[in-house]
Amino acid sequence: MKIGGELSVKAPRTAVFDALKDARFFASCVEGVQELTEIDPTHYTAIFETRIAYLKFRFSVTVEMTKAEPPDTIEGKVEGKPMGIVGRLTATATTTLIENGDETVIRYEIDSSLTGKLGSIGQPVMKSKAKDLEKEFAARLRAKFEI
């Protein structure tokens, strides 16, 4: 499943790049991320908890930052297993930052795959959840730059 979009933040591109590259900052903008642990500067583990439709899922995830080209490109890979059920989540995300006056436009594309019980939920439900997560992420990110 591929999803993408863009959002704007009222901040310089270099500041947005530095913030998004910081795993703790990034995780603080994603609802449901817990127990973030740094393995090394490009590898992390975490617990991600979310509700999809009427089901609650808790994932053990690994995150790898596969590319960081200041100040405009960040790529990462996420792999996770839902706890308590059979399945797997894999996702690759590419983020491009574009300077636009006193704002930064964040363009993203995520290519994800779900197997097991998650895969049976269906793409329309998953896309709807992804849009909800995007709105929450954007609100949290903007709030952090307004401080």
Side-chain angles (χ1 to χ4, degrees):
M1 173 175 68
K2 289 188 180 191
I3 57 172
E6 71 178 45
L7 57 113
S8 296
V9 177
K10 196 167 189 78
R13 181 169 62 160
T14 55
V16 175
F17 180 89
D18 291 342
L20 293 179
K21 190 172 167 268
D22 179 323
R24 296 215 180 280
F25 178 91
F26 188 90
S28 73
C29 294
V30 179
E31 183 179 356
V33 175
Q34 307 163 9
E35 301 176 34
L36 179 70
T37 304
E38 181 177 329
I39 307 298
D40 63 44
T42 61
H43 293 85
Y44 304 86
T45 61
I47 302 297
F48 175 64
E49 191 171 280
T50 191
R51 185 173 293 280
I52 301 172
Y54 55 90
L55 301 171
K56 185 175 180 180
F57 293 98
R58 189 170 164 90
F59 295 86
S60 174
V61 296
T62 59
V63 180
E64 176 185 7
M65 187 181 315
T66 56
K67 183 179 184 180
E69 295 178 353
D72 55 15
T73 305
I74 299 173
E75 289 182 3
K77 185 167 85 172
V78 176
E79 293 185 356
K81 291 183 187 178
M83 298 174 168
I85 62 170
V86 175
R88 185 159 191 79
L89 160 71
T90 58
T92 303
T94 303
T95 303
T96 305
L97 306 177
I98 301 156
E99 203 162 359
N100 184 19
D102 63 346
E103 292 188 338
T104 299
V105 176
I106 303 168
R107 285 194 184 139
Y108 66 90
E109 185 173 295
I110 301 168
D111 189 1
S112 64
S113 171
L114 300 164
T115 62
K117 192 171 189 177
L118 280 176
S120 69
I121 291 174
Q123 284 195 15
V125 173
M126 298 306 291
K127 283 189 177 190
S128 174
K129 179 61 179 180
K131 283 295 176 190
D132 291 345
L133 287 171
E134 175 195 13
K135 287 176 190 170
E136 182 64 30
F137 178 85
R140 289 180 179 199
L141 182 65
R142 287 183 183 119
K144 288 180 185 287
F145 277 102
E146 289 174 4
I147 294 173

